[in-house]
């Protein structure tokens, strides 16, 4: 049986393995970011118009994180063992490639002439290594890591809610509402400033789990309407630099993600082999592309007289190198990190069993 013909799990809830269009959506998101950075570096006439499109790619990544975490974990039983394995899985996915990218940028900073966009000073390097950096594209990693931690609280409160305890869910809901109401007061690297984006994906995942809602939400016409609405609103309805605060674009993108979680004729273009490869390599593309583009710019290798040629070459280089890293190294690093993490967890668990750490009845 072909992969696309595989049935849904018995519960009827799509698992990440079955949500093929979302692979391609990741690819689209990273291409939006790449396009905005190329336009900025080349100082193209439409760079102002494309700003929100690039930021839209980041919003897609954030909302996807909330959606997938909810789909993959919220229905599983919360426990110390499960949460530890969750942390290992998430960190092994993010940390190895991220640290390699930090080292790559640091080397470029050392060898390139002054004026390189990524000012990777010792302090910036230290902050970046510990997921607190704000240099270039790396600014988006701290909120992502912080959400991974906050998701444990969401997961725990939902577990309590299923058991009939409403107080934890109510308290967490009030906390989230407080964060959303004050999002403009927090720094851009702090989770509360972006939590509405993650939560939008988290909540839409529950809509997808209900068959009656999923039937309408995942209809091809609804997919087309939501995607078109999000794109049009991002281009014509948003002020520059407001996309990360706007609740309408957040809702449109999250609903688009939920809608595209099922394969339809509309989503077929997202499910091609090339788009799924782009999606699989999207994290590497996101981490490396801008550093590569800025290096080309710093070395003066861009000839203003050949705008179209510059765009083509920059697109190819900023995608080909990260994809090669993904194929040759990223996947291996992720598997190795996960194995090492699980081995360390098993050793700790054998020495200090969780049954002894957690009182009976908890």
């Amino acid at each position: 049986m072909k992969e696309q013909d595989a049935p849904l799990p018995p519960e009827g809830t799509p698992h990440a393995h079955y949500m093929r269009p979302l692979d391609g959506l990741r690819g689209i998101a990273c291409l939006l970011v790449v396009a905005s950075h190329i336009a900025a570096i080349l100082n193209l006439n439409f760079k102002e118009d494309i700003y929100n499109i690039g930021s839209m790619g980041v919003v897609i990544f954030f909302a996807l994180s909330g959606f997938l975490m909810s789909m993959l974990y919220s229905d599983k039983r919360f426990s110390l063992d499960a949460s530890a394995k969750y942390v290992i899985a998430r960190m092994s996915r993010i940390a190895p490639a991220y640290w390699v990218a930090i080292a790559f940028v640091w080397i470029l900073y050392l060898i390139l002439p002054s004026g390189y966009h990524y000012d990777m000073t010792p302090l910036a390097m230290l902050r970046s290594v510990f997921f607190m950096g704000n240099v270039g594209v790396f600014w988006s990693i701290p909120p992502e890591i912080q959400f991974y931690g906050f998701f444990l609280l969401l997961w725990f409160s939902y577990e309590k809610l299923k058991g009939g305890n409403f107080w934890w869910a109510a308290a967490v809901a009030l906390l989230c509402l407080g964060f959303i109401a004050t999002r403009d007061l927090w720094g851009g690297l702090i989770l509360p400033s972006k939590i509405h984006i993650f939560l939008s994906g988290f909540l839409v995942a529950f809509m997808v789990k209900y068959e009656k809602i999923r039937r309408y939400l995942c209809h091809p016409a609804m997919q087309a309407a939501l995607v078109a609405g999000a794109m049009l609103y991002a281009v014509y309805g948003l002020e520059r630099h407001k996309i990360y605060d706007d609740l309408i674009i957040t809702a449109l993108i999250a609903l688009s993600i939920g809608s595209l979680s099922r394969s339809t004729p509309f989503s077929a273009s997202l499910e091609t082999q090339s788009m799924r490869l782009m999606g699989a390599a999207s994290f590497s593309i996101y981490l490396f592309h801008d550093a590569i583009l800025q290096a080309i710019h710093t070395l003066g290798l861009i000839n203003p007289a050949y705008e179209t040629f510059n765009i083509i070459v920059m697109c190819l280089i900023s995608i080909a190198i990260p994809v090669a890293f993904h194929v040759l190294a990223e996947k291996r690093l992720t598997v190795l990190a996960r194995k090492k993490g699980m081995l360390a967890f098993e050793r700790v668990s054998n020495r200090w069993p969780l049954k002894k750490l957690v009182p009976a009845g908890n």
Side-chain angles (χ1 to χ4, degrees):
M1 179 162 44
K2 296 181 180 179
E3 183 178 346
Q4 61 265 34
D5 297 330
L8 290 176
E11 305 84 5
T13 300
H15 186 276
H17 176 70
Y18 298 87
M19 297 184 285
R20 294 167 58 91
L22 297 188
D23 290 337
L25 185 60
R26 288 191 193 92
I28 294 295
C30 73
L31 289 178
L32 294 177
V33 177
V34 170
S36 68
H37 287 154
I38 291 176
I41 291 173
L42 294 179
N43 199 28
L44 301 179
N45 293 331
F46 55 85
K47 67 175 183 177
E48 297 296 326
D49 298 327
I50 206 172
Y51 175 85
N52 277 341
I53 295 300
S55 298
M56 187 176 180
V58 179
V59 176
I60 291 172
F61 283 130
F62 284 167
L64 262 173
S65 289
F67 181 83
L68 292 174
M69 293 305 97
S70 183
M71 293 296 292
L72 293 173
Y73 293 100
S74 60
D75 287 331
K76 294 182 179 180
R77 184 178 181 278
F78 181 89
S79 66
L80 288 178
D81 180 79
S83 59
K85 291 178 180 178
Y86 155 80
V87 170
I88 292 170
R90 290 296 91 208
M91 293 305 295
S92 62
R93 173 70 181 88
I94 294 291
Y98 171 72
W99 284 331
V100 171
I102 293 295
F104 175 71
V105 169
W106 177 65
I107 293 172
L108 290 178
Y109 168 73
L110 292 178
I111 65 177
L112 289 176
S114 60
Y116 181 53
H117 178 75
Y118 283 77
D119 190 19
M120 194 60 73
T121 62
L123 177 58
M125 181 75 170
L126 184 65
R127 289 182 59 186
S128 297
V129 167
F130 289 99
F131 305 102
M132 297 184 292
N134 63 347
V135 180
V137 299
F138 300 131
W139 74 266
S140 66
I141 305 303
E144 184 87 16
I145 297 298
Q146 293 164 36
F147 174 72
Y148 290 160
F150 190 78
F151 177 77
L152 291 171
L153 182 59
L154 294 173
W155 186 7
F156 172 78
S157 63
Y158 183 60
E159 176 80 7
K160 290 293 186 180
L161 179 64
K162 290 188 292 184
N165 186 335
F166 296 91
W167 293 107
W168 272 101
V172 172
L174 287 174
L175 178 63
C176 291
L177 289 173
F179 283 155
I180 294 172
T182 60
R183 63 189 182 280
D184 294 337
L185 304 179
W186 300 85
L189 302 184
I190 307 300
L191 177 63
S193 68
K194 306 291 186 299
I195 195 169
H196 57 289
I197 305 175
F198 293 103
L199 288 176
S200 66
F202 175 82
L203 294 174
V204 166
F206 288 95
M207 298 172 62
V208 174
K209 293 176 184 179
Y210 288 95
E211 195 276 333
K212 290 184 179 179
I213 297 177
R214 185 171 65 244
R215 185 188 311 163
Y216 295 103
L217 183 62
C218 300
H219 190 278
M222 182 62 74
Q223 291 176 331
L226 287 170
V227 170
M231 293 294 292
L232 290 172
Y233 185 76
V235 175
Y236 300 109
L238 274 173
E239 297 180 35
R240 181 175 162 86
H241 297 297
K242 292 294 184 181
I243 188 168
Y244 295 117
D245 300 321
D246 192 277
L247 297 180
I248 296 177
I249 190 63
T250 297
L252 286 172
I253 288 176
L255 288 169
S256 297
I257 291 170
S259 181
L260 291 169
S261 63
R262 294 291 297 274
S263 296
T264 70
F266 177 81
S267 70
S269 60
L270 297 175
E271 301 180 52
T272 62
Q273 186 175 357
S274 57
M275 286 308 304
R276 296 194 74 195
L277 174 60
M278 289 287 292
S282 60
F283 187 52
S284 290
I285 295 173
Y286 181 80
L287 289 176
F288 287 94
H289 81 277
D290 192 47
I292 296 170
L293 293 175
Q294 296 292 346
I296 294 172
H297 177 63
T298 301
L299 291 171
L301 301 179
I302 299 173
N303 189 333
Y306 302 100
E307 185 175 279
T308 302
F309 176 78
N310 290 333
I311 293 174
I312 294 173
V313 171
M314 293 173 76
C315 283
L316 290 175
I317 292 176
S318 61
I319 293 174
I321 295 176
V323 168
F325 171 77
H326 166 75
V327 173
L328 299 175
E330 182 189 2
K331 294 190 289 185
R332 291 178 173 83
L333 289 172
T334 298
V335 172
L336 179 61
R338 190 164 189 170
K339 286 182 178 178
K340 294 292 186 182
M342 289 302 300
L343 181 60
F345 173 66
E346 289 173 3
R347 288 176 178 173
V348 171
S349 298
N350 290 335
R351 186 166 184 177
W352 295 290
L354 294 177
K355 293 180 180 180
K356 295 182 179 180
L357 298 177
V358 183
N362 286 358

